[in-house]
Amino acid sequence: MTTEKYPTGADLLLAQLAAQGVDTCFANPGTTELDVVRSMETQDAVRCVIGLQENVCTGAADGYGRMLGRPAATLLHLGPGFANGIANLHNAKRAHTPIVNLIGDHTSWHLPFDAPLSSDIESLARPVSGWVHRIDSVADAAPAAAQAVRQSLAHGGQSATLIFPADYQYGTLDAAAGSSKGEAVAAPSPSLSHFDLAAGVHALRQAKAPLFLLGGGGALSGLGERAQKAVARLCQVLPGRAYAETFPARSERGQGLPVFDRLPYFPEPARQVLDASDLVVLVGALPPVTYFGYEGHASEMVTPDRLLLLSQPGEDAATRLEALAEALAAPAYVAPQVPMPEQPTGELTPQKIAAVLARELPDQAIVSVEGGTCGYPFYAASAAARVHTTLTNTGGAIGQGLPVAMGAAIACPERPVVALVSDGSTQYTIQTLWSMAHEGLNVVVLVAANHQYAILRNELRRGGAALGERAAAMTSLENPRIDWVLLAQSYGVKASRAQTAEELAEQFAKAVATSGPSLIEMAL
């Protein structure tokens, strides 16, 4: 006589996630998630990728979702574990990335006793989640998983967070309780808020100097290929200008595409761009505001009377732009001829690094950019590079560059991935190197090592102020200097150091041609 084994709540949840197309889980589990770990033993539809710190897991889920437009899951331990991952969930929220977060909690009957790791998980989750749900029974596990996937795809993409008490993970559902598989949930179709084409045509014809502000995301976003080409046509007939938002979630770049720069970070140069335009068209971008509150600068950089909303983030911007181009009889798109930067020589500078990368970047690469030292120079130079995708730090919470690169590499294993990062912010999620080595991912990490928090020093020097001795010490990474080569090697990542443009070009070409992750410390 055999005893039938009934599925546990964890079995039901994983099966339902797989049925909805979730095939990857970035996990840092603890005691309250062990039954989900046990359930992983019985199925192979969901790949489990281990991160040594929760912000690695959430950042990787962000990179994965940006590239595929569908959610990965995270598996995190109670409120404190989730809190460790909030910074990159903040960035993912700004990027409109779909993610399903699974947070284990104490058994339901243990919660009233306020054990040391008890916390208000819902309050932690709500600021970075579009939807939060506490599973309240074994039978609720599968329906909750299906709803979480649906919610993650709503509103252009968001985090959906499930809180999963341990007793509902290991509890079983007998045959009398009904089917455990559930129905597949259709993804929401791309939304379209109201847009009056005739009114848009009239506004553009009346404008003397229109500017298109392009937001990044999926293929139909303002920085997808179709939208960029339509905007280039519009700029030619109006005439007008176009800029990418300062930190786009995703943008397509390279040869054959228009040469649109990013809106500057600091308010003075940003206002020079915006103030010259009597109409700013929001193409999947939010109204531009200063990154911080600066005395003497209004937070809103464009007054509402000068704004025209073409599409919200996450909507189909490409179709509307193409309709505008046809209505205005815009000429056919002609790809610009962008000269390749000359091969730089000598000691490294941010501009030389950008030139080397633009020349050597493989076709269809994905570049995760974090840090101002090389980020802006590369974005400017990358118009001449082979066609590639750029992912930037949308929310400003540092520690994104490596995890987003890791998630992108898992989402698109056929594409080479480059992480162009700075030394200060990369220390926040340095544990990502171990996961890259563990998974054998083809990621080349380029670390700009200037041994300082350069962005803070630039802020301190605003208005011509001198950098004081204490301020210099508080923004210095000199004592002791981090040895990136030894650090990477300790995580199992091949590493080298480049001090000249010639060395960087040689080492980068070798790293791209070598299987597995590599790191190059770029000495500045």
Side-chain angles (χ1 to χ4, degrees):
M1 180 177 179
T2 59
T3 302
E4 184 176 358
K5 182 183 183 298
Y6 296 117
T8 66
D11 294 336
L12 298 172
L13 181 135
L14 287 177
Q16 187 57 231
L17 288 179
Q20 306 307 326
V22 177
D23 59 11
T24 303
C25 177
F26 297 98
N28 186 280
T31 302
T32 54
E33 297 76 43
L34 290 183
D35 283 283
V36 177
V37 173
R38 291 188 182 99
S39 185
M40 290 277 186
E41 294 281 354
T42 66
Q43 63 83 42
D44 55 11
V46 179
R47 175 184 180 182
C48 185
V49 180
I50 299 300
L52 301 186
Q53 208 268 0
E54 292 86 350
N55 216 28
V56 173
C57 299
T58 54
D62 184 12
Y64 179 101
R66 291 195 203 188
M67 293 309 304
L68 295 184
R70 56 182 172 85
T74 67
L75 180 61
L76 308 173
H77 182 41
L78 293 161
F82 180 78
N84 284 339
I86 283 177
N88 273 328
L89 289 176
H90 165 82
N91 293 329
K93 178 181 179 179
R94 294 290 179 173
H96 293 274
T97 304
I99 298 174
V100 174
N101 298 306
L102 307 177
I103 308 173
D105 200 0
H106 291 294
T107 54
S108 59
W109 44 264
H110 189 57
L111 283 172
F113 297 96
D114 194 28
L117 274 172
S118 297
S119 63
D120 185 352
I121 301 176
E122 282 88 347
S123 292
L124 290 169
R126 287 191 188 100
V128 291
S129 306
W131 181 79
V132 179
H133 176 74
R134 176 176 286 272
I135 295 173
D136 60 12
S137 66
V138 174
D140 187 35
Q147 181 69 354
V149 174
R150 182 198 295 272
Q151 290 291 338
S152 76
L153 296 166
H155 307 296
Q158 61 184 3
S159 280
T161 298
L162 288 172
I163 303 166
F164 202 0
D167 49 332
Y168 303 140
Q169 295 176 37
Y170 63 69
T172 59
L173 188 69
D174 62 28
S179 170
S180 64
K181 293 186 178 179
E183 296 293 328
V185 178
S189 58
S191 60
L192 274 180
S193 58
H194 176 71
F195 178 71
D196 188 328
L197 178 61
V201 169
H202 177 74
L204 287 170
R205 281 179 170 155
Q206 294 295 113
K208 295 184 174 70
L211 182 145
F212 295 87
L213 187 60
L214 310 179
L220 300 178
S221 75
L223 289 169
E225 179 180 348
R226 280 177 53 193
Q228 288 191 56
K229 290 180 177 179
V231 168
R233 295 172 61 199
L234 287 164
C235 288
Q236 187 174 348
V237 74
L238 288 171
R241 298 177 298 154
Y243 279 79
E245 59 186 344
T246 307
F247 294 107
R250 173 177 174 173
S251 58
E252 306 308 315
R253 296 285 289 170
Q255 296 170 2
L257 291 172
V259 184
F260 296 146
D261 205 352
R262 291 195 284 168
L263 189 68
Y265 172 85
F266 284 113
E268 294 88 352
R271 287 190 185 281
Q272 287 182 1
V273 169
L274 296 167
D275 289 351
S277 298
D278 57 342
L279 182 68
V280 175
V281 184
L282 302 177
V283 185
L286 298 176
V289 299
T290 58
Y291 211 76
F292 296 101
Y294 294 100
E295 292 290 339
H297 290 278
S299 296
E300 288 184 327
M301 289 196 283
V302 179
T303 55
D305 60 298
R306 292 167 52 213
L307 293 174
L308 174 65
L309 176 64
L310 184 131
S311 61
Q312 298 278 5
E315 292 184 339
D316 178 354
T319 299
R320 289 181 173 179
L321 287 166
E322 289 168 347
L324 281 173
E326 292 304 313
L328 288 165
Y333 175 72
V334 177
Q337 299 299 311
V338 183
M340 183 67 70
E342 294 185 5
Q343 176 65 57
T345 60
E347 291 185 357
L348 286 174
T349 65
Q351 289 69 31
K352 290 180 182 179
I353 290 170
V356 169
L357 190 53
R359 291 176 59 89
E360 302 294 335
L361 195 67
D363 188 47
Q364 296 300 318
I366 301 167
V367 186
S368 173
V369 178
E370 180 174 28
T373 301
C374 294
Y376 270 96
F378 169 69
Y379 201 87
S382 64
R386 297 174 181 88
V387 173
H388 63 281
T389 299
T390 298
L391 313 174
T392 70
N393 190 327
T394 53
I398 63 178
Q400 175 190 289
L402 287 186
V404 162
M406 169 183 158
I410 288 174
C412 304
E414 74 286 358
R415 298 180 64 175
V417 177
V418 176
L420 180 61
V421 295
S422 295
D423 51 359
S425 57
T426 301
Q427 282 296 328
Y428 279 59
T429 47
I430 189 63
Q431 306 93 329
T432 311
L433 292 177
W434 183 90
S435 295
M436 288 178 177
H438 182 69
E439 297 291 331
L441 302 178
N442 293 325
V443 180
V444 180
V445 179
L446 302 176
V447 181
N450 57 14
H451 307 286
Q452 60 182 263
Y453 286 115
I455 182 61
L456 296 183
R457 289 186 171 184
N458 289 337
E459 291 275 7
L460 287 164
R461 293 188 181 107
R462 281 178 55 78
L467 185 68
E469 181 179 347
R470 289 186 178 179
M474 291 175 67
T475 56
S476 173
L477 300 175
E478 284 280 359
N479 187 23
R481 279 197 169 199
I482 298 166
D483 189 322
W484 285 91
V485 173
L486 291 179
L487 183 59
Q489 290 172 347
S490 74
Y491 280 112
V493 173
K494 298 179 289 291
S496 59
R497 181 177 293 108
Q499 295 181 309
T500 66
E502 295 92 335
E503 290 175 349
L504 178 59
E506 178 183 356
Q507 292 174 24
F508 182 75
K510 180 180 179 181
V512 168
T514 303
S515 179
S518 300
L519 180 145
I520 302 172
E521 177 182 342
M522 303 182 298
L524 291 173

